[in-house]
Amino acid sequence: MTTLFQQLINGLSLGSIYALLALGYTMVYGIIKLINFAHGDIYMLGAFWGYYTINYWHFNFIFALLSAMVVCAASGVIIEYFAYRPLRHAPRITALITAIGVSYFLENGMSYLYGADTRDFPQVIKQVNYSLWGVRVSNIQILILATACLLMILLQLIIKKTKMGRAMRAVSVDPDAAELVGININQTISFTFALGSSMAGAAGVLIGLYYNSIDPLMGMTPGIKAFVAAVVGGIGSVPGASLGGFLIGLLETAVQSVGLSAYKDAAVYLVLIIILLVLPSGIFGKNVKEKV
Amino acid sequence: MKKSTIKRITGFAAIAMSAAIFAGCTTAKTTTQGNDQTGNTVKIGVNMELSGAAGGYGNQMKQGIQMATKEINSKGGVNVNGKKKKIKLIIKDDKTSTSTSASVAAQLVNNDKVNAIIGTATTNAGTAAIPNETKAKVPALSPSATDPNFTLQKDGKVQPYVFRACYQNNFQGGTGAKFIYNNLKAKRVAVLGDNSTDYGTGLAKAFKQQFKGKVVDTQYFSGGDKDFNAILTAFKNKKIDAIYAPGYYSEIGLIIKQARQIGLNVPIVGSDGMADAKLVQIAGAKNASNIYYTTPFSKTVAKQNPVAVKFMNAYKARYHTEAPTFSALAYDSTYMIKQAIENEKSANSVKITKGLANIKDFNGVTGKITIDSKHDATKPIAVEHLNNGKVVGSTQIK
Amino acid sequence: MILKANWKYNLCWLILMVAGFYLMNTLILVGVINSFLENMMVTIGINIILAVGLNLVIGFAGQFSLGHAGFMAVGAYATAIIISKTPTAGAFYGSIIVGVIVAIVAALVVGIPTLRLRGDYLAIATMGAAEIIRIIINNLKITNGPSGMFNIPQFATWPVIYIMACVTTLIIVNFIHSRGGRAALAVREDEIAADSMGINVFKWKLAAFVLGAATAAVAGSMQASYLQTIAPSNFNIMESIAILIIVVLGGVGSITGSFVAAGILGVVDAALQSFGALRMVIYALVLILIMIFKPSGIMGATELSFKRLFNRKNKKQESGC
């Protein structure tokens, strides 16, 4: 029983990391229908920013986290402006290749400048383990879980309650119509990128702190997993992304705990395919009927 | 329509086949005698994983090779039959890809006419390069390809132009098995290996074959994974005495950290991929207790080895970190080629091959190296013991 | 019928192919093409087979597949396993067929459920399927796990690969110009309209997907036997993306474009080897810039066609008179 609860905690804390990343994917996809492959690498940038500011400028944790969010938001906007904006009316597959190009650029640029090897993240928050009936939870696990939930609620509020959020929803439904009613499309898309990228920046610092290891290629695998999470949850939907993240985290943990660790990723993809076959646009996705 | 397509394809194929036969008749190549040394330099090609999945390790090796070359050149160079020749490095990136590695090898041996090749870091990229190296009769010395069959042909004969400077998996995995059973007296062991490289799986396989106790569970992770809590929690319930974890420091460091955090305090035994100062940094010094790994390059052993002390100090002075094992292996590889040239008094690639095959009791950073009949490097092996992040002892395993 | 109507153009292509073959053979004999250049050209040839196959699926049938490397893995491992056991030329050609058959079965298993999905959802599902194939290979004993297989006998020399590249292209181009190809094009343009015209949408989507997978298996066989080494990591998501990049760079829906892009990328890749860690940075920048300034790829959707060349000439002569 204790083991079961422990594994549940393990799954939830892994899931919260995927959820945190999936939020950014889902927002960008929701608004311009682009699989932003570079999202995982912005998360890497966030982690490296945290690493450098804490180590060399001696930022405290909160300040490092917030500044990483700002820096990542800025880089997200810059990437959108230079790489994606010129392609807004090009075929979507072209934009996808550009996103892959940006991802390669960030990964290899960082490897070139700072070396490709793994480094340890400064432990600015001392890890404390709490033990409750044999189930162990660390303060950082709780911090990540809480941050993921907090950011999710915050995002949902921004999207549902603010003017900008309304503009984002309008653009995602029909950009041309949105423009007609006076919405500044460029501004709205930039804002979305800023928001999504700042999530990634926060995730970078938190995950760096939690696992204590960062490297220039760290965004690749979690990036793809997080994207899968976003698709499972119904890409474009904020609660869907979180649900998908937790689902994938729990699934991976379950597969590993029954001793099939070698097939962990295969199980994730299998569940992805099955979910898509039953619900072709994910759990919370809107099924748009095609009209003749 | 269908008929016509078939007709056209068969017609075309017939012409093409005739062309192929023509090609077959006339492309008999003259046999070369390897690449001769020309001018004032000895050319050493480096076929290395500088980008891609193994980019981190490849770049550490590049540093080791460049350091060794700089040292050799500052002393005038390699003594080729009485004349001092400088080493010229030609470094090319194979981006951890088999096809690029084959292409890099072809370019090095044909266009750059190198006398010897150092590389690659990984077994797969290395085996892809072998045909081109063999065709040109240029030896390739891999600092870290560990698959037991890497230096062997299909029929079990040795690959004439392929060498390695590291342990092969069976030897190292077997040593780990002996150490856990004899020294740690552990009977129930769980294996947790890296499933994305031949290194992790090869060692896990060798360990399981040679371990006399009971392997309770075998689980795998893949390179780049960061969360091992689920596997470790499952291990915790299986009443194990030790964990054998073959892999690289970047993941094993995390495994150590997470195992200690969930209260799994059994000894964790690994391989030379762990022997890196970063292991303790990632795991945290407090967690890095009761950790053992097999290594040729141990700090305590190194203290009795002047070559290693010199290397470690020079590395620290140049790159401001502790020397990683990969750099040490690559550094040794460079000096092994120098030794081969000086023994044979020639820098012709075929002669270097002969020299490499005959290397005996070479005093390297990673120990006294002898190349055996299978072109494997045999050298003493030690098990280092970490406590609170510090090396507290090392055991020689016979 | 078609052969008669188009004999002139087909003959031109045939002459071009044979001429290319003899040109390359002569250059190798003379020594202009050494083993490095040969290696580069073979890599280009294999990439052409892969890209043309994927272009059929993406460019002509309009189905966004990200799982091409999975089918390539099937072919590669079929060849590697068979010719490691029986190293004869017959076994090699047999193994290509085995690989193609297994790939077709795999494509049916993957395609029948997933081709009901659309756009990016299909891409992610096929990517997942390819990863499942790779993970299974990674854990099987017969495939030697992550160490991969090496010392595979080399039967795929450059002439074999040259011929295979020509043959697979011929088959695919013929498919595109056949009734099936036109049906696939109709599906790409508008599924509902195609459906209402009586085209079995699903059937032609699946046909293109399966044909693409079969050619990918052929490319895999070639690579396994040419390089004499394969490992599961050769067939990961990044490989699928690399093939996709060739297709998009050349122009989605242009076979000529796939040829051109495979050639350019092959040369660029070989030329950047000396740049070390910087190579991928340059590659990424080139990729981004080409996409921004030429969003529809190098060739767009146009093809090099003798038919058009002749027609243009005729028209000129007419107007000249």
Side-chain angles (χ1 to χ4, degrees), chain C residues 50-75:
Chain C
L50 289 166
V52 169
L54 187 63
N55 208 342
L56 170 69
V57 181
I58 295 183
F60 293 93
Q63 303 306 307
F64 190 4
S65 159
L66 254 182
H68 219 52
F71 301 117
M72 188 186 171
V74 169

Side-chain angles (χ1 to χ4, degrees), chain B residues 12 92 103 107 110-111 124, chain C residues 14 34-35 147 273-274 279:
Chain B
F12 173 75
K92 295 209 188 281
S103 162
Q107 185 166 22
N110 290 306
N111 295 14
N124 302 132
Chain C
L14 202 60
N34 57 18
S35 68
S147 320
Q273 275 166 14
S274 321
R279 100 184 288 171

Side-chain angles (χ1 to χ4, degrees), chain B residues 8 12 19 22-23 26 92-93 95 98 103-104 107 110-111 124 127-128 132 152-154 159 195 198 201, chain C residues 3 10 14 21 25 29 34-36 39 84 138-139 146-147 150-151 227 229 231 234 269 273-274 276 279:
Chain B
R8 190 162 357 134
F12 173 75
F22 175 72
T26 44
K92 295 209 188 281
D93 172 27
K95 59 176 190 183
T98 46
S103 162
V104 164
Q107 185 166 22
N110 290 306
N111 295 14
N124 302 132
T127 51
N132 285 327
L152 300 181
Q153 294 179 14
K154 203 165 156 254
Q159 286 278 9
N195 196 9
D198 57 286
T201 44
Chain C
L3 188 66
N10 281 316
L14 202 60
F21 183 91
N25 200 15
L29 279 181
N34 57 18
S35 68
F36 166 62
N39 205 304
S84 291
N138 201 33
N139 288 300
S147 320
F150 41 89
N151 291 328
L227 282 181
T229 293
N234 299 355
D269 194 54
Q273 275 166 14
S274 321
R279 100 184 288 171

Side-chain angles (χ1 to χ4, degrees), chain A residues 19-65:
Chain A
L20 218 48
L21 280 173
L23 287 175
Y25 267 113
T26 217
M27 286 176 66
V28 168
Y29 189 91
I31 198 154
I32 55 170
K33 305 284 175 290
L34 166 73
I35 305 178
N36 185 11
F37 258 88
H39 189 70
D41 301 296
I42 291 185
Y43 143 75
M44 178 268 296
L45 284 185
F48 268 80
W49 175 265
Y51 173 86
Y52 276 99
T53 51
I54 293 173
N55 263 357
Y56 296 101
W57 296 348
H58 306 290
F59 278 23
N60 65 20
F61 176 72
I62 299 294
F63 201 47
L65 184 77

